[in-house]
Amino acid sequence: MAGVESEIAEPVVDRPLTTTRYQFAVEVACSMVLAVVGFLSYPIVSWETPPQVVYGVVVLGCCLALIWRRRNPRIVLVTVAVLLVVHVLVVDQLSVFAGLVCLAAAYTTQTQVIPPWRWISATAIFAGSAWAVLFVSNDVLLSALSTKLIVVLVAWALIAVAALLGSIRRRNRARVEGAFERVSLLEAQQDTEHRLAALQERHRIAREMHDILGHSLNIIAVQAEGARYALRSAPHQTDQALAAIGRLSREAVDEVRDLLDVLYTDEPSAELTPTPHLRDIPGLIGSYRHTGANIRLHHEGDPDNVPSQVGLAAYRIVQEALTNAIKHAGGVPIMVRIDIRTNAVDLLIVNSVRAARAVAVPRRGRGHGLIGMEERVRALGGSIDTGPNTTIGGWRVAATLPWTR
């Protein structure tokens, strides 16, 4: 074993302080047992002759070194190897203590040392034990070669058992530590997924709030301005404008309340108002009737075949486009075209050329509405194009929403 170098095999993990103290206490107890065996077994420890003094130093040195075998196995194994060589050369006799130390060293090579030093250390222990029995020891009980061979075989068998127990211990420990690492990894992954889910839900709610409040408040503002005008020029139309304001306000409050209920409850079965869909776009356009907006709707296909998430995205995109057109260029003609295909929905919202200058939004100054439309389309794997219409002028929003990615 002399000169054999080893490395610590255990992965670096945080262990509780109580576990570290327990392990250290176990090592101290085992070393004390070895010390008792060394001082009570043959040869007798005394300070009368130099060989006996050397043997006492070997016993104390091996016991103290083995206390630190978990923390510094490399230094411990080299120290024990040197002390055992000194023991065999100076004392010139085999001892039960030396055999037990070899077994402890063999166990340590399998639990604390990584390949290839693990196998090199074990081989050195086998070779050292055979060398000590066959060529160094002058014990009268081992004078016959056959007896020495039997002792070597017995020693090898015991060393092999100690190494096997160490290997089993290492595998069990690695399995347990691997399980703890997997649990920690899963907990971290679940925590990340929960944070991402919460962030996505906040984005979704913020987007819905923007669409709901942006649509309702803009239409209410237009209706309020129309009501002020009607008070002076057409008093009989004031009631219609105020009724539209009340209706839009109630609808906005109901939709906002539903979104807030999602934040206040974890129950998936919470009763909410029906989710807007493509089939509700005619009603959406009708809500702009009292604003004086000139909106034409052209649609092809059956909206009932469109999945709910695609229908909701299409509804919100049309809603946002109409709200922006009326807000920035009220009174201009607006055309909404919906083409429902077998696996996608094509949307086109175009307003008059007279609104091009008013509606154009600089790319760097885009509001949350355009960003929200892009997020909805991107979530479905579709495409969207917003900006001035270079063909006939005006402002256009063109989007394609696939049913499958």
Side-chain angles (χ1 to χ4, degrees):
M1 287 182 56
V4 176
E5 296 184 354
S6 61
E7 300 292 341
I8 299 178
E10 288 185 328
V12 179
V13 295
D14 294 334
R15 290 186 175 87
L17 184 60
T18 54
T19 302
T20 303
R21 290 178 177 176
Y22 171 78
Q23 292 176 347
F24 184 76
V26 171
E27 301 300 340
V28 171
C30 293
S31 297
M32 291 179 63
V33 172
L34 280 177
V36 172
V37 173
F39 280 96
L40 296 182
S41 62
Y42 181 82
I44 303 301
V45 175
S46 68
W47 312 109
E48 297 178 357
T49 62
Q52 292 176 329
V53 173
V54 171
Y55 177 68
V57 172
V58 168
V59 171
L60 291 176
C62 289
C63 293
L64 291 176
L66 288 174
I67 294 177
W68 309 100
R69 69 181 189 88
R70 290 181 183 269
R71 298 186 178 182
N72 300 288
R74 175 181 177 179
I75 298 176
V76 168
L77 289 177
V78 172
T79 302
V80 169
V82 172
L83 290 175
L84 290 181
V85 169
V86 171
H87 166 55
V88 173
L89 293 177
V90 176
V91 179
D92 197 20
Q93 290 180 347
L94 300 179
S95 64
V96 176
F97 172 79
L100 293 178
V101 171
C102 286
L103 297 181
Y107 181 86
T108 301
T109 60
Q110 301 304 306
T111 58
Q112 308 297 322
V113 182
I114 62 175
W117 302 112
R118 177 184 303 156
W119 314 116
I120 295 175
S121 302
T123 302
I125 294 175
F126 281 102
S129 61
W131 170 73
V133 174
L134 295 176
F135 302 105
V136 180
S137 177
N138 291 323
D139 198 320
V140 295
L141 298 177
L142 302 177
S143 57
L145 180 60
S146 59
T147 305
K148 289 184 177 183
L149 292 176
I150 294 174
V151 173
V152 169
L153 292 177
V154 172
W156 281 3
L158 294 176
I159 293 173
V161 171
L164 179 61
L165 293 176
S167 179
I168 295 174
R169 168 60 178 167
R170 183 189 70 252
R171 294 180 180 179
N172 291 338
R173 182 182 60 200
R175 188 180 297 110
V176 172
E177 291 180 350
F180 278 111
E181 291 179 358
R182 287 192 295 273
V183 169
S184 300
L185 180 61
L186 288 175
E187 290 178 349
Q189 182 178 359
Q190 290 177 352
D191 184 61
T192 301
E193 291 176 352
H194 290 163
R195 289 200 300 271
L196 289 176
L199 181 61
Q200 292 175 354
E201 184 66 12
R202 286 197 297 270
H203 280 309
R204 185 190 70 82
I205 293 175
R207 189 167 58 235
E208 293 291 331
M209 291 280 286
H210 172 273
D211 292 342
I212 294 171
L213 295 179
H215 161 70
S216 301
L217 294 180
N218 278 294
I219 300 303
I220 289 173
V222 172
Q223 295 283 16
E225 292 175 357
R228 292 179 57 193
Y229 176 79
L231 284 174
R232 297 191 298 268
S233 60
H236 62 280
Q237 295 180 356
T238 304
D239 182 68
Q240 295 179 353
L242 294 177
I245 291 175
R247 179 178 56 80
L248 289 172
S249 300
R250 288 190 297 272
E251 291 178 356
V253 169
D254 291 339
E255 292 190 57
V256 171
R257 182 183 295 113
D258 287 337
L259 286 177
L260 294 179
D261 288 341
V262 175
L263 298 177
Y264 292 142
T265 181
D266 293 332
E267 295 295 332
S269 59
E271 294 185 359
L272 304 177
T273 57
T275 302
H277 195 267
L278 270 176
R279 67 178 70 91
D280 300 317
I281 288 181
L284 172 67
I285 294 176
S287 66
Y288 294 96
R289 182 174 60 253
H290 299 292
T291 65
N294 181 11
I295 304 175
R296 292 175 298 168
L297 173 63
H298 303 277
H299 65 86
E300 296 181 3
D302 186 5
D304 292 333
N305 296 329
V306 179
S308 58
Q309 68 273 17
V310 179
L312 173 62
Y315 180 92
R316 293 304 187 193
I317 291 173
V318 173
Q319 183 185 56
E320 179 65 25
L322 292 177
T323 300
N324 288 339
I326 295 174
K327 176 181 178 181
H328 296 287
V332 302
I334 304 172
M335 190 270 289
V336 178
R337 184 177 183 85
I338 303 173
D339 184 11
I340 302 174
R341 297 185 279 121
T342 56
N343 59 352
V345 176
D346 294 328
L347 302 176
L348 178 62
I349 303 95
V350 180
N351 54 271
S352 172
V353 66
R354 289 179 298 170
R357 182 168 54 87
V359 178
V361 181
R363 188 68 177 176
R364 291 174 298 176
R366 294 184 305 162
H368 294 289
L370 295 179
I371 296 175
M373 287 194 292
E374 292 179 357
E375 290 179 350
R376 291 182 185 277
V377 173
R378 188 167 55 248
L380 296 173
S383 61
I384 186 172
D385 180 24
T386 61
N389 192 338
T390 57
T391 303
I392 60 174
W395 188 266
R396 67 189 294 271
V397 175
T400 299
L401 306 178
W403 296 4
T404 57
R405 290 183 180 274

